[in-house]
Amino acid sequence: LKNSSGPFNIEIFAGSPTDNNATFFYDGAMSVLKQYIDDGKLIVGSGQVERLETAIAHWSRSGAEERMMNLLNGYYSDGEELHAILSPNDGLAAGITEALKKFGYADHGKPFPLLTGQDSELENVRAILNGEQAMTVFKDTRTLADRTFRMIDDILLNRTPETNDSTTYNNNVKFVPTFMCRPVLVTIDNYSSVLIDSGYYDILDLQ
């Protein structure tokens, strides 16, 4: 976006309106995208930008597929190209991909829009290899489990758990000290080193 003139068409999806995580994901994405939407480099064909109007209840895969079909039929049925879709997790991305396929994106080599995701689910990593999804986010559950174990152990032994963030999460009583584990961007260029070489998946899992 920084080095292209555009404009590019994008549609936005958000997670469940009752899940606070969905708020963080949406706000994080929009902190980057909003300037390009305001400048007209990104055009939301449907005009649906706000979190609650783009939210998918219960993170429903079928809900994402239904909304995507409605968007495609309502705003892109005349051949208008859709360049990108913001999906905050892999479950929604899978539903969006199903809608894109039904709309004809799997036919005649028509390229899929740039589609985001999160969680590095097997199905979605396969979709990345097939050119149907652009990226996902890897949050290694082994790292999360190890960090959780250390914090619980510290609490049981009356030690102060290690944290690295004290300004992000407020439960309306206090800012909760947190240890933020680092997520990893996964694309077709690095999936093998991140997911296979680390032992998280076996190469056979992706066949």
Side-chain angles (χ1 to χ4, degrees):
L1 286 170
K2 289 181 180 179
N3 301 316
S4 302
S5 59
F8 303 103
N9 296 321
I10 187 173
E11 291 296 337
I12 295 168
F13 282 72
S16 180
T18 58
D19 186 345
N20 193 46
N21 285 317
T23 304
F24 283 103
F25 299 152
Y26 173 86
D27 288 346
M30 293 306 292
S31 70
V32 176
L33 298 179
K34 187 177 185 300
Q35 60 179 315
Y36 297 107
I37 295 173
D38 291 345
D39 291 345
K41 186 174 283 190
L42 285 177
I43 296 175
V44 183
S46 67
Q48 299 170 16
V49 176
E50 298 301 320
R51 184 176 69 86
L52 293 181
E53 64 183 348
T54 60
I56 303 297
H58 313 298
W59 296 90
S60 167
R61 173 175 176 159
S62 61
E65 180 179 346
E66 180 180 2
R67 179 170 183 261
M68 189 72 251
M69 283 302 300
N70 290 337
L71 292 175
L72 290 168
N73 287 320
Y75 303 97
Y76 300 93
S77 60
D78 60 353
E80 185 77 11
E81 185 174 0
L82 178 57
H83 299 98
I85 304 166
L86 172 66
S87 170
N89 85 335
D90 283 349
L92 299 188
I96 291 167
T97 298
E98 284 302 308
L100 292 170
K101 288 179 178 179
K102 290 178 180 178
F103 197 72
Y105 276 87
D107 301 332
H108 313 299
K110 185 177 181 180
F112 279 68
L114 188 156
L115 174 62
T116 66
Q118 177 177 212
D119 295 327
S120 295
E121 299 286 348
L122 263 177
E123 177 182 3
N124 299 81
V125 178
R126 293 190 192 104
I128 290 174
L129 300 184
N130 292 332
E132 299 166 354
Q133 185 169 324
M135 54 76 67
T136 185
V137 177
F138 181 47
K139 297 177 291 186
D140 195 333
T141 53
R142 298 166 299 183
T143 301
L144 294 171
D146 177 70
R147 179 56 58 182
T148 302
F149 169 82
R150 292 189 202 182
M151 298 181 88
I152 292 174
D153 195 48
D154 284 338
I155 291 170
L156 291 174
L157 295 175
N158 293 317
R159 298 191 298 243
T160 301
E162 180 184 358
T163 60
N164 60 9
D165 181 276
S166 60
T167 61
T168 300
Y169 296 105
N170 190 311
N171 63 5
N172 295 321
V173 176
K174 59 180 287 188
F175 281 99
V176 181
T178 307
F179 192 96
M180 305 278 276
C181 297
R182 186 176 181 84
V184 180
L185 172 73
V186 175
T187 69
I188 197 168
D189 295 322
N190 72 343
Y191 79 94
S192 184
S193 61
V194 174
L195 300 175
I196 305 302
D197 294 351
S198 72
Y200 193 80
Y201 287 137
D202 188 286
I203 189 64
L204 296 177
D205 294 330
L206 299 178
Q207 297 178 355

